[in-house]
Amino acid sequence: MSKKLPAPDDDEALARAVRASAQQIWQAGLGAFAKAQEEGGRSFTRLVRDGSALQKRSREVEEATDTVARAAERSTRRAGGSWGKLEQVFEERVARALATIGVPAASEVEALRRRVDELERMLAELAARVAPAQATPRTRRSVKGTSVQKDGEGG
């Protein structure tokens, strides 16, 4: 069920909002690609299939957005409105669509990034502890019973 919302007050605000929504869709695609790299080929194939379906839907949404933008421009001259509500509805629908195909939320990606950083830090600490233990100190030996003097020592 589609709900008509009042048009925005400003054509420039409408254009900015549409660009912001397009940017979010692009970022969602990048997130899906990152997830595909993590999970491997099978998931990548599934995401390609789902991405094709999402691309088709996003084209439809883009066409609908263009239609809404043109209508908003016309109605902006007649009445003021709240673009925030329309943007919120659009963002919620995109978020639901992304969740449906299994794209991780930004918070999930950030949590994973923090976990990887922590594991890298722990690995570096472990490597620093293991490396000194493997190095053995070398001692100078005397040749045929004579002792070797260090520089600066008497003789």
Side-chain angles (χ1 to χ4, degrees), residues 54-72:
L54 182 60
Q55 182 179 14
K56 181 181 176 186
R57 282 186 254 145
S58 70
R59 284 184 186 146
E60 293 169 358
V61 168
E62 183 180 0
E63 290 171 3
T65 302
D66 290 344
T67 301
V68 168
R70 285 190 300 274

Side-chain angles (χ1 to χ4, degrees), residues 3-137:
K3 184 177 182 184
K4 289 192 175 187
L5 296 174
D9 294 325
D10 180 28
D11 290 342
E12 184 61 29
L14 176 65
R16 282 193 306 270
V18 170
R19 280 192 295 267
S21 294
Q23 180 65 27
Q24 288 176 342
I25 291 171
W26 172 253
Q27 290 170 342
L30 291 176
F33 182 73
K35 182 177 180 182
Q37 286 180 326
E38 292 172 12
E39 292 184 6
R42 187 179 74 234
S43 294
F44 183 77
T45 302
R46 187 184 81 240
L47 286 171
V48 168
R49 183 190 70 232
D50 294 345
S52 295
L54 182 60
Q55 182 179 14
K56 181 181 176 186
R57 282 186 254 145
S58 70
R59 284 184 186 146
E60 293 169 358
V61 168
E62 183 180 0
E63 290 171 3
T65 302
D66 290 344
T67 301
V68 168
R70 285 190 300 274
E73 287 174 351
R74 287 189 304 267
S75 59
T76 297
R77 295 180 193 108
R78 292 183 227 136
S82 173
W83 174 250
K85 289 180 182 177
L86 180 58
E87 185 177 1
Q88 182 179 357
V89 168
F90 182 76
E91 289 175 2
E92 288 171 359
R93 288 183 182 174
V94 169
R96 275 193 309 237
L98 293 173
T100 299
I101 63 170
V103 175
S107 60
E108 294 171 320
V109 173
E110 179 62 22
L112 182 59
R113 185 196 60 76
R114 283 192 306 267
R115 185 174 176 200
V116 168
D117 289 346
E118 177 66 16
L119 289 172
E120 286 176 343
R121 185 190 59 74
M122 291 169 63
L123 185 59
E125 288 176 6
L126 181 61
R129 280 190 230 147
V130 170
Q134 290 177 349
T136 56

